[in-house]
Amino acid sequence: MEFDFTWVLLGFPIAFTLGWLASRLDLRQLRIENRQAPKAYFKGLNFLLNEQQDQAIDAFIEAVQNDPDTSELHFALGNLFRRRGEYERAVRVHEHLMSRGDLTQPERDRAQHALALDFLKAGLLDRAEIALRKLEGTPFEEEARLALLSIYERSRDWANATEIAARLGSSSHGSFSTRQAHYLCEQAGTAAAAGDTAQALANLQAAALMAPASARPLIDLAKLQHQLGRPQDAMQSLLKLEEIAPQGLPLAAGLLANIAHSSGQQQAALEHLKASYAHMPSIDVVEAIVKLEQDPLAARQWYLQHLEHQTSLVAAGKWIAGEPLGNAQQHALVQRTLDQATKPLMRYRCAACGFEATQHFWHCPGCQAWDSYPTRRIEEL
C-alpha cells in the first residue's frame, strides 16, 4: 500500500494552527494571572499606606491565594498579623513558610527570625528563646542575641544573660561590662539571701573590678560588709565610692552615717559628707550630715544652707519641723500639710520612661532600662 503524502501536507497546517491556538490560550491565562496578582498586591499596599490594616490583610490573603508560592507576600501578611496582635495567625504564616522546601537559605533565616518575633510579641518566652537560638550564625545573629538578653533579664536568668552579654561585648555592640556588673550584683543579692555570704562578697568584688566607675557594686558591697559586722571595710568601700563614683554618694549617704555611728567614725564621715556636699549639693547628703552633727542647732542650720543652694520645699519642711511657730496645734497642721506635699518630691524618676518610685532602682521595673534612674530626687532634677 502506497503512502499518501497528501495527508502530511494537510497535517502541517492543522498542527501549526493547533499549536498557535494553544500558545495563545497559555499567554492569555498567564496575562490574566499576572494582572490579578499585582492588582491584589498593590491594593493591599495602598490600604496599608492608608492605615487600613483590615482591608490590607484581605487584599494580601487574596494575593497569596492567587500566587501561593510568593514568599514576599507571606512575609508581608505575617508581619501585618503580628502588628495587629494576631500572633497565632502570624505564627501559622511563618511556620508554613518554614515548611516549604523551595525556600532559599536567606529566606529561611528571615522566616525563622519572623517566627521568633511572633513568639516574643506573644509573650511565649520559652518558644521565643528556642527560635532565637536557631539564628546563631545567620545575618540575624546580633538582633537575636539582643532579644535573648532582654528575655533573660526579664526572667532574671542572670547566668544566661551574662553569657549573651559577653558575646555581644565581643562583637561591634560596644562594652557590656557595666551591665555584666549589674548581673553579678543581682547574683550576689540572691546568694546573700540564701546565706552564702562568701559567694555574695566574691560576686560584688568581681563586679567592682569589672565596672570600676559604677556606683552600685561598691554600695552593695558596703551594705553587705555592714550587715556582716565589718564597719571598717564598709567605710573603706564608701570612701572609695566617693573617690571614683561621687555621683552615687547621695544613695549611700544614709548608710555612711549609720556605719560611722557603729564604728565611732562620726567626725571622719562628717568631713567627707561636707566635702561631697560642697561639690554636689543633695538633700540626702544634708540628711546624713544632720544625723552626724553633734550640735542640734548646727544640724538644723544645714537645711537653711541647702535652701541657699537650691529652692527646696523638702528642706524648708524639715527646718520648719524644728521651729516653734506659736500655737502647737496650728504648727502640727502646717507640718502635716508640708509633709504630704513633699512626699512626691522625694521620689526617683526614670529618665527613660518617667516611671516614679519611692526607692532608687538600678533596673527600671517599667521599661527595663539599666542605670536610667538619676541618683537625685525629683525635686532636685
Side-chain angles (χ1 to χ4, degrees):
M1 182 178 178
E2 292 184 3
F3 182 74
D4 191 352
F5 283 96
T6 305
W7 293 105
V8 175
L9 296 174
L10 290 173
F12 277 126
I14 294 172
F16 176 80
T17 303
L18 291 175
W20 181 82
L21 289 172
S23 67
R24 294 295 294 173
L25 289 172
D26 287 343
L27 286 172
R28 183 180 178 188
Q29 182 64 27
L30 184 62
R31 288 195 190 101
I32 291 172
E33 291 177 354
N34 286 339
R35 283 195 208 102
Q36 288 175 343
K39 183 178 180 182
Y41 176 79
F42 287 119
K43 188 197 301 181
L45 187 60
N46 183 55
F47 284 132
L48 191 60
L49 292 172
N50 289 314
E51 299 294 332
Q52 296 173 282
Q53 293 189 9
D54 290 334
Q55 294 90 331
I57 285 174
D58 293 338
F60 282 132
I61 289 174
E62 178 187 346
V64 168
Q65 289 171 344
N66 290 332
D67 192 2
D69 295 328
T70 303
S71 60
E72 285 299 330
L73 291 176
H74 285 78
F75 282 121
L77 190 57
N79 291 341
L80 268 176
F81 283 142
R82 189 195 312 126
R83 285 176 59 186
R84 282 182 52 80
E86 299 182 53
Y87 303 118
E88 289 186 12
R89 297 178 78 181
V91 167
R92 284 202 300 271
V93 169
H94 292 130
E95 283 183 338
H96 171 71
L97 270 174
M98 291 291 296
S99 68
R100 283 172 49 176
D102 61 338
L103 278 188
T104 63
Q105 190 57 46
E107 288 178 324
R108 190 168 298 281
D109 294 339
R110 183 181 171 191
Q112 181 68 43
H113 179 246
L115 186 61
L117 291 180
D118 296 338
F119 291 140
L120 195 60
K121 292 291 187 181
L124 303 173
L125 300 186
D126 53 342
R127 298 180 72 179
E129 179 187 358
I130 294 170
L132 289 166
R133 285 282 187 181
K134 292 178 180 178
L135 290 168
E136 285 289 331
T138 72
F140 298 96
E141 181 179 67
E142 297 301 312
E143 293 177 48
R145 286 176 179 174
L146 288 169
L148 280 170
L149 191 64
S150 175
I151 289 174
Y152 292 139
E153 288 180 352
R154 287 168 64 184
S155 59
R156 303 183 66 80
D157 186 347
W158 305 119
N160 274 320
T162 300
E163 174 210 341
I164 297 297
R167 292 188 186 181
L168 285 167
S170 63
S171 65
S172 59
H173 275 79
S175 174
F176 277 74
S177 58
T178 301
R179 194 172 294 196
Q180 288 174 278
H182 279 301
Y183 300 159
L184 285 169
C185 291
E186 294 287 348
Q187 289 172 295
T190 303
D196 191 353
T197 54
Q199 184 61 53
L201 283 170
N203 284 344
L204 291 172
Q205 288 163 352
L209 290 174
M210 181 171 288
S214 178
R216 183 185 184 180
L218 291 172
I219 293 175
D220 287 359
L221 182 59
K223 286 179 182 177
L224 183 57
Q225 290 167 334
H226 183 49
Q227 291 168 7
L228 294 174
R230 295 162 53 180
Q232 295 294 340
D233 292 339
M235 181 68 76
Q236 288 303 313
S237 295
L238 292 182
L239 293 181
K240 188 177 179 182
L241 170 71
E242 183 190 357
E243 178 185 346
I244 65 175
Q247 74 281 358
L249 191 60
L251 297 176
L255 176 62
L256 179 60
N258 292 336
I259 294 171
H261 274 298
S262 62
S263 62
Q265 301 183 70
Q266 292 94 324
Q267 192 58 39
L270 188 58
E271 294 304 320
H272 284 292
L273 287 169
K274 287 180 178 178
S276 172
Y277 182 85
H279 289 93
M280 189 174 67
S282 164
I283 188 63
D284 290 294
V285 175
V286 169
E287 290 280 39
I289 291 173
V290 169
K291 189 182 293 186
L292 290 173
E293 279 281 10
Q294 299 296 321
D295 181 4
L297 183 60
R300 291 189 58 255
Q301 289 302 309
W302 273 94
Y303 292 125
L304 292 177
Q305 184 174 335
H306 186 62
L307 288 171
E308 293 175 2
H309 287 91
Q310 296 178 358
T311 302
S312 172
L313 188 60
V314 174
K318 298 281 186 181
W319 181 79
I320 290 174
E323 283 294 303
L325 298 180
N327 186 295
Q329 186 176 2
Q330 293 175 347
H331 188 184
L333 181 62
V334 171
Q335 189 60 51
R336 188 166 62 250
T337 303
L338 280 173
D339 290 343
Q340 187 69 24
T342 56
K343 276 183 180 179
L345 301 178
M346 290 296 286
R347 294 174 184 165
Y348 296 96
R349 178 187 294 149
C350 174
C353 70
F355 189 91
E356 293 183 5
T358 55
Q359 71 179 82
H360 181 274
F361 285 103
W362 300 103
H363 189 207
C364 178
C367 65
Q368 306 298 306
W370 290 96
D371 291 318
S372 59
Y373 276 83
T375 59
R376 301 165 73 81
R377 309 282 183 167
I378 287 177
E379 185 185 54
E380 300 173 307
L381 296 179

